[in-house]
């Protein structure tokens, strides 16, 4: 930054905001930091009492904050992301579609480890809505050297670091287990909950079967739903470790490849995830029926986005896996499920 007389400032870059005061008419910022001084600005600056200005010195190859933000955002954004126009050096990234937010956190961390680059996001693996603000980026100074920009762009060459994956409209099969429901002693209350929960995510429960506490019967119901072309299968009831709870063994007998029996999530510890081929089969504990937010909300949207969940993915839920059961639920605007 250097001081320069106003008459010689044409073409230079203003280093700070300048306020203009016209008594009874106007008081506010007339020229903002980063403004390039033009010939027609000189009389106005003189009328504001400015005989000297502080301007920024830069190399011919330095990149202005607006251009820098545009270059970073355009390479960082993937499917389903909309960019705002640069405003005072910042660009906001919003959801162009409804879907599951995914962020390449490792490359995000590498990006912001570069000097003078800023990129901030909300948490990933949540369902976002069209128009929702997801991220913002800018550089810290008004200008950065071209070599810093090239280093940042090299990190982004591997593909986007933020994108929205649309949820697939899946056909859902449900197996409700338990002798009390199968025999008609009590009415099933879990099925309607799943109809509502899957429906809110754009999928539809196409068929619901009922089974006694018998692993062969449970397995046969699961196989039938697979044969009938269901894309995902939810099993309710019998997910505890009581001796007469046969759902986990029924899933295994149906050919389920078990990813995890148990999840470091409350509510949702007795959750089971398995696959029969490419069909996810999820054992849903009772908390999914009565809790506003549970393990269902952390795992099922990712399955509907076509993601194949691993044991490491489930273990990663431990940090943030405790729901505080707030009187007014604000999920996903809270820490639940956020690493």
């Amino acid at each position: 930054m250097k001081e320069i007389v106003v008459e010689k400032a044409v073409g230079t870059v203003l280093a700070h905001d300048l306020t203009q005061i016209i008594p009874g008419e106007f008081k506010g910022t007339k020229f903002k930091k980063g403004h390039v001084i033009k010939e027609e600005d000189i009389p106005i600056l003189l009328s504001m009492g400015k005989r000297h200005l502080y301007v920024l010195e830069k190399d011919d190859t330095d990149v202005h904050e607006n251009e820098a933000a545009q270059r970073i955002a355009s390479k960082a954004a993937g499917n389903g992301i909309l960019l705002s126009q640069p405003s005072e050096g910042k660009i906001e990234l919003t959801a162009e579609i409804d879907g599951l937010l995914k962020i390449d956190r490792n490359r995000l961390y590498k990006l912001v480890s570069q000097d003078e680059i800023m990129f901030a996001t909300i948490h990933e693996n949540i369902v976002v809505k069209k128009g929702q603000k997801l991220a913002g980026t800018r550089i810290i100074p008004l200008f950065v050297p071209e070599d810093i920009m090239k280093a940042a762009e090299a990190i982004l060459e591997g593909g986007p670091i933020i994108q929205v994956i649309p949820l697939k409209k899946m056909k859902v099969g449900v197996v409700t287990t338990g002798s009390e429901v199968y025999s008609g002693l009590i009415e099933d209350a879990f099925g309607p909950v799943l109809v509502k929960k899957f429906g809110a995510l754009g999928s539809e429960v196409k068929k619901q079967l009922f089974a006694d506490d018998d692993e062969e019967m449970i397995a046969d119901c699961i196989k039938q739903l697979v044969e009938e072309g269901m894309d995902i299968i939810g099993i309710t009831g019998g997910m505890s470790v009581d001796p007469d709870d046969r759902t986990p063994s029924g899933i295994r007998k149906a050919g389920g490849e078990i990813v995890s029996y148990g999840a470091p999530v409350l509510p949702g510890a007795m959750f089971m995830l398995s696959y029969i081929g490419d069909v996810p089969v999820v054992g849903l504990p009772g908390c999914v029926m009565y809790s506003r937010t549970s393990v269902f909300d952390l795992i099922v949207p990712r399955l509907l986005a076509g993601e194949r969940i691993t044991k490491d993915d489930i273990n990663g839920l431990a940090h943030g896996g405790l729901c505080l059961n707030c009187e007014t639920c604000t999920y996903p605007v809270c820490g639940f499920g956020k690493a």
Side-chain angles (χ1 to χ4, degrees), residues 249-284:
S249 56
I251 293 173
R252 292 187 179 94
K253 189 169 283 290
E257 175 191 344
I258 307 301
V259 175
S260 179
Y261 180 21
V265 175
L266 290 172
M270 303 309 294
F271 174 81
M272 175 181 271
L273 173 64
S274 63
Y275 287 90
I276 298 177
D278 292 327
V279 178
V281 180
V282 291
L284 300 171

Side-chain angles (χ1 to χ4, degrees), residues 158-222:
I161 61 172
I162 180 169
Q163 57 185 320
V164 178
I165 308 298
L167 302 186
K168 299 178 181 179
K169 297 182 183 299
M170 290 193 178
K171 295 181 292 183
V172 183
V174 173
V175 179
T176 297
T177 74
S179 60
E180 68 279 16
V181 176
Y182 182 74
S183 63
L185 291 176
I186 67 169
E187 185 178 354
D188 169 49
F190 216 143
V193 171
L194 292 185
V195 169
K196 184 176 180 180
K197 282 183 174 289
F198 276 106
L201 296 172
S203 290
E204 183 180 357
V205 174
K206 290 289 189 180
K207 193 162 194 175
Q208 182 179 10
L209 300 177
F210 296 87
D212 203 348
D213 290 314
D214 179 89
E215 61 186 40
E216 292 284 356
M217 187 180 292
I218 295 169
D220 287 344
C221 288
I222 295 170

Side-chain angles (χ1 to χ4, degrees), residues 57-303:
E57 296 183 282
K58 73 181 190 72
D59 295 334
D60 291 340
T61 59
D62 283 354
V63 181
H64 185 265
E65 59 180 359
N66 284 346
E67 179 189 345
Q70 185 68 51
R71 286 168 60 176
I72 294 168
S74 62
K75 286 186 175 293
N79 177 73
I81 302 292
L82 189 64
L83 307 183
S84 70
Q85 290 299 312
S87 175
E88 298 181 357
K90 181 179 72 174
I91 287 181
E92 291 185 345
L93 294 81
T94 57
E96 191 173 25
I97 59 173
D98 295 351
L100 184 75
L101 177 64
K102 298 298 294 184
I103 295 169
D104 187 333
R105 284 190 276 174
N106 289 334
R107 289 171 57 242
L108 172 63
Y109 299 150
K110 287 181 181 178
L111 176 66
V112 297
S113 71
Q114 303 300 299
D115 289 341
E116 302 175 332
I117 303 293
M118 195 289 295
F119 200 110
T121 78
I122 65 172
H123 284 94
E124 69 164 342
N125 288 329
I126 62 172
V127 176
V128 297
K129 297 295 184 182
K130 181 179 179 180
Q132 184 174 341
K133 186 190 300 184
L134 307 177
T137 185
R138 65 170 303 144
I139 58 171
I140 303 304
L142 188 61
F143 293 91
V144 292
E146 177 64 25
D147 61 347
I148 289 180
M149 287 303 304
K150 286 183 177 178
E153 289 174 320
I155 294 170
L156 298 171
E157 285 300 328
I161 61 172
I162 180 169
Q163 57 185 320
V164 178
I165 308 298
L167 302 186
K168 299 178 181 179
K169 297 182 183 299
M170 290 193 178
K171 295 181 292 183
V172 183
V174 173
V175 179
T176 297
T177 74
S179 60
E180 68 279 16
V181 176
Y182 182 74
S183 63
L185 291 176
I186 67 169
E187 185 178 354
D188 169 49
F190 216 143
V193 171
L194 292 185
V195 169
K196 184 176 180 180
K197 282 183 174 289
F198 276 106
L201 296 172
S203 290
E204 183 180 357
V205 174
K206 290 289 189 180
K207 193 162 194 175
Q208 182 179 10
L209 300 177
F210 296 87
D212 203 348
D213 290 314
D214 179 89
E215 61 186 40
E216 292 284 356
M217 187 180 292
I218 295 169
D220 287 344
C221 288
I222 295 170
K223 291 176 183 178
Q224 178 182 336
L225 292 174
V226 171
E227 290 170 359
E228 292 184 10
M230 299 298 127
D231 301 307
I232 183 170
I233 298 170
I235 319 295
T236 73
M239 286 305 303
S240 76
V241 293
D242 294 342
D244 59 347
D245 284 335
R246 306 297 174 81
T247 299
S249 56
I251 293 173
R252 292 187 179 94
K253 189 169 283 290
E257 175 191 344
I258 307 301
V259 175
S260 179
Y261 180 21
V265 175
L266 290 172
M270 303 309 294
F271 174 81
M272 175 181 271
L273 173 64
S274 63
Y275 287 90
I276 298 177
D278 292 327
V279 178
V281 180
V282 291
L284 300 171
C287 63
V288 175
M289 178 171 59
Y290 57 77
S291 295
R292 164 67 175 78
T293 307
S294 69
V295 68
F296 181 98
D297 304 278
L298 305 185
I299 296 293
V300 172
R302 296 172 67 175
L303 296 173

